[in-house]
């Protein structure tokens, strides 16, 4: 009896084990019952494998990956800096540029007829002529300045003056300072005048009996004829030959002025004899203790050359000269207002064409 009763139960269990969708038919309890009676799988999951004495086949290693850069601490993180670009000024028009730089940069004269343009301290020179650095009775000093240029009248004057000096004084000749730049105009140093090719400085130092080297011409200093009190000439240096030298400078019809120090003018007034009319051209002025400054009149071929006011009076050996030794004249003048370089637009319009000419 017991065996017969158990047969249906065993048949039911076998049916449940062979049915795949037990849960669909019998619910969760059927699944549990099926799991409990089912056979274990042939190969258990890898993570459940027991230890083995055989080495399993190793899987391929993963590709190498570069380690990530460590994070930068916040304290070292810098915000991007906005650096402004330098401001580039717009190009200046020629009229707004400094005239002295433009004229000082030109190494040769303009092509064409020689013409003095404008006024002695505000002008230029077209068609300038070069004074050779050496001549029978002259040598040019300070060659690095390139200021041995002038109107043809000035170059002719220097040559004839040097010959007169040699004859009047017995010197070998003269040492020539600045004339003008190749195209005249303002200079970067030393002078406010000398712009029209009609001014020249000549040293009181006689020309030696040999040709000076270029280095000597840069380094030598001219002789100072004035004493330390700036009232009298230095008697240890002065000689009558200096009177002859200055007188020879005045003896040309186109010489308008010869500038000297007031102490030298006073000595000339004291010692000049005979015809003293030449003294009228000799004018006292500050400085000019180691050289004379000769200025020629405007040439006939230069209608745009501005004339200097004519000299009035005679020898200028009286009250006019005494003023230079007064307290007012000898007291240092107040510092001038800061010098403002002259612009090209301040020169006569023709000077723009002169300095820009090829």
């Amino acid at each position: 009896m017991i065996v017969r009763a158990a047969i249906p139960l065993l048949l039911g269990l076998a049916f449940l084990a062979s049915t795949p969708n037990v849960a669909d038919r019998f619910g969760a309890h059927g699944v549990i019952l099926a799991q409990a009676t089912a056979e274990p799988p042939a190969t258990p999951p890898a993570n459940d494998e027991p230890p083995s004495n055989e080495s399993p086949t190793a899987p391929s290693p993963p590709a190498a990956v570069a380690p990530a850069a460590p994070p930068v601490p916040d304290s070292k993180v810098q915000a991007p800096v906005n650096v402004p670009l330098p401001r580039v000024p717009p190009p200046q028009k020629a009229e707004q540029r400094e005239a002295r730089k433009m004229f000082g940069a030109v190494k040769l004269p303009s092509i064409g007829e020689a013409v003095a343009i404008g006024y002695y301290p505000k002008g230029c020179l077209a068609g300038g002529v070069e004074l050779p650095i050496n001549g029978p009775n002259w040598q040019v000093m300070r060659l690095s300045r390139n200021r041995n240029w002038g109107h043809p009248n000035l170059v002719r004057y220097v040559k004839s003056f040097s010959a007169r000096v040699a004859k009047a004084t017995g010197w070998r000749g003269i040492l020539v300072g600045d004339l003008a730049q190749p195209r005249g105009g303002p200079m970067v140093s030393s002078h406010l005048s000398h712009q029209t090719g009609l001014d020249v400085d000549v040293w009181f130092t006689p020309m030696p009996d040999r040709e000076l080297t270029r280095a000597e011409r840069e380094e030598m200093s001219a002789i100072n004829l004035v004493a330390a009190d700036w009232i009298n000439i230095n008697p240890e240096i002065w000689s009558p030959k200096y009177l002859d030298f200055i007188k020879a400078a005045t003896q040309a019809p186109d010489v308008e002025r010869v500038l000297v120090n007031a102490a030298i003018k006073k000595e000339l007034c004291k010692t000049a004899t005979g015809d003293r009319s030449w003294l009228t051209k000799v004018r006292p002025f500050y400085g000019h203790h180691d050289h004379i400054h000769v200025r020629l009149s405007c040439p006939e071929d230069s209608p745009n050359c501005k004339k200097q006011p004519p000299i009035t009076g005679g020898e200028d050996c009286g009250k006019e000269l005494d003023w230079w030794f007064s307290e007012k004249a000898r007291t240092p003048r107040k510092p001038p207002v800061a010098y403002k370089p002259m612009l090209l637009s301040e020169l006569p319009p023709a000077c723009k064409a002169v300095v820009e000419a090829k």
Side-chain angles (χ1 to χ4, degrees), residues 122-157:
K122 186 180 288 189
C124 60
L125 171 67
V129 176
E130 183 179 18
L131 174 69
I133 62 173
N134 295 313
N137 304 112
W138 78 85
Q139 295 186 43
V140 177
M141 308 299 287
R142 305 296 191 259
L143 299 178
S144 62
R145 296 180 177 182
N146 193 29
R147 297 177 182 173
N148 55 312
W149 302 82
H151 187 278
N153 288 9
L154 183 65
V155 174
R156 285 193 293 268
Y157 169 80

Side-chain angles (χ1 to χ4, degrees), residues 133-134 139-148 175-178 189-190 203 208 210-222 290:
I133 62 173
N134 295 313
Q139 295 186 43
V140 177
M141 308 299 287
R142 305 296 191 259
L143 299 178
S144 62
R145 296 180 177 182
N146 193 29
R147 297 177 182 173
N148 55 312
L175 297 180
V176 182
D178 289 347
S189 63
S190 304
W203 291 16
R210 62 179 179 85
E211 182 178 325
L212 296 171
T213 66
R214 297 184 75 91
E216 288 175 321
R217 300 184 196 213
E218 298 293 333
E219 298 168 1
M220 278 183 60
S221 298
D290 56 5

Side-chain angles (χ1 to χ4, degrees), residues 3 36 45 59 66 72 77-78 106 118 139-140 147 161 177 189 201 206 209 216 248 258 290 301 308 334-336 338:
V3 173
V72 180
V77 176
Q78 297 182 354
V106 179
Q139 295 186 43
V140 177
R147 297 177 182 173
F161 170 49
S189 63
D201 291 340
D209 58 359
E216 288 175 321
V258 177
D290 56 5
D301 61 10
Q308 195 166 4
K334 295 181 180 179

Side-chain angles (χ1 to χ4, degrees), residues 67-131:
V72 180
D74 293 342
S75 59
K76 294 184 179 180
V77 176
Q78 297 182 354
V81 179
N82 184 18
V83 179
L85 295 176
R87 181 178 177 271
V88 179
Q92 286 184 320
K93 295 182 179 180
E95 295 83 351
Q96 299 172 334
R97 295 176 59 187
E98 290 186 23
R100 61 181 182 177
K101 292 182 178 179
M102 298 182 69
F103 281 93
V106 179
K107 304 303 180 184
L108 294 172
S110 61
I111 299 175
E113 296 182 0
V115 180
I117 303 169
Y119 197 43
Y120 300 94
K122 186 180 288 189
C124 60
L125 171 67
V129 176
E130 183 179 18
L131 174 69

Side-chain angles (χ1 to χ4, degrees), residues 6-86:
I7 289 174
L9 178 60
L10 294 174
L11 292 173
L13 293 173
F15 171 76
L16 291 172
S18 62
T19 303
N21 296 325
V22 176
D24 295 339
R25 297 190 182 189
F26 298 97
H29 294 291
V31 173
I32 294 172
L33 182 60
Q35 290 177 346
T37 59
E39 294 181 1
T43 303
N47 58 348
D48 291 339
E49 275 189 309
S52 173
N53 293 331
E54 296 180 2
S55 299
T57 303
S60 299
V65 179
V72 180
D74 293 342
S75 59
K76 294 184 179 180
V77 176
Q78 297 182 354
V81 179
N82 184 18
V83 179
L85 295 176

Side-chain angles (χ1 to χ4, degrees), residues 184-195:
M187 300 180 180
V188 296
S189 63
S190 304
H191 304 287
L192 292 179
S193 59
H194 291 251
Q195 296 191 26

